[in-house]
Amino acid sequence: RAAVRRSLAAAPLVAPSDGSHLGAHAARPRVRLLLAWLHACLNERCRFAPAGFSKAYDFGDADERAALRLADTWLNRAAAQGAESVPWDALRGVLLSAAYGGRVDIPSDLAELEGVVAS
């Protein structure tokens, strides 16, 4: 719970006041909340290695910021095309390949990561 609060304090759910959110997808706050939960969940699993993952991975703030930027990019692209639905498959793919999956080097841990991201 504290990790989610820290994540939300660092990357608030509300749109920034500088106007960079114009044209942003309506689901942006929901996706940001889910990413904060995902990041906290992954870090919690690392704390209990080898029960959560085979080893403790260092999922840090940079990974979370990358995930947020990637999600914003995909949501803005969807909003620009007039899509009301969230591109969940695309978000799952970039989270697994770019944001978090690049650190995972054990196949069984990658399968665990895929399960967490899919849920």
Side-chain angles (χ1 to χ4, degrees), residues 2 9 40 58:
D58 185 25

Side-chain angles (χ1 to χ4, degrees), residues 58-98:
D58 185 25
F59 297 124
D61 293 339
D63 297 310
E64 184 179 22
R65 284 192 304 272
L68 289 170
R69 281 194 305 272
L70 289 166
D72 281 344
T73 299
W74 276 97
L75 290 173
N76 289 340
R77 187 176 295 165
Q81 295 173 354
E84 293 183 19
S85 62
V86 176
W88 292 114
D89 290 335
L91 290 177
R92 282 186 204 102
V94 297
L95 290 174
L96 287 171
S97 63

Side-chain angles (χ1 to χ4, degrees), residues 42 53 92 96 107-119:
L42 292 176
F53 288 119
R92 282 186 204 102
L96 287 171
S108 62
D109 288 347
L110 188 56
E112 289 291 325
L113 177 64
E114 288 173 358
V116 173
V117 170
S119 65

Side-chain angles (χ1 to χ4, degrees), residues 3-4 6-7 32-46 58-65 67 99-100 116:
V4 173
R6 269 193 310 277
S7 292
R32 284 186 168 247
L33 178 63
L34 289 172
L35 287 175
W37 174 85
L38 173 66
H39 187 74
C41 182
L42 292 176
N43 278 314
E44 194 68 18
R45 289 179 70 94
C46 288
D58 185 25
F59 297 124
D61 293 339
D63 297 310
E64 184 179 22
R65 284 192 304 272
Y100 293 105
V116 173

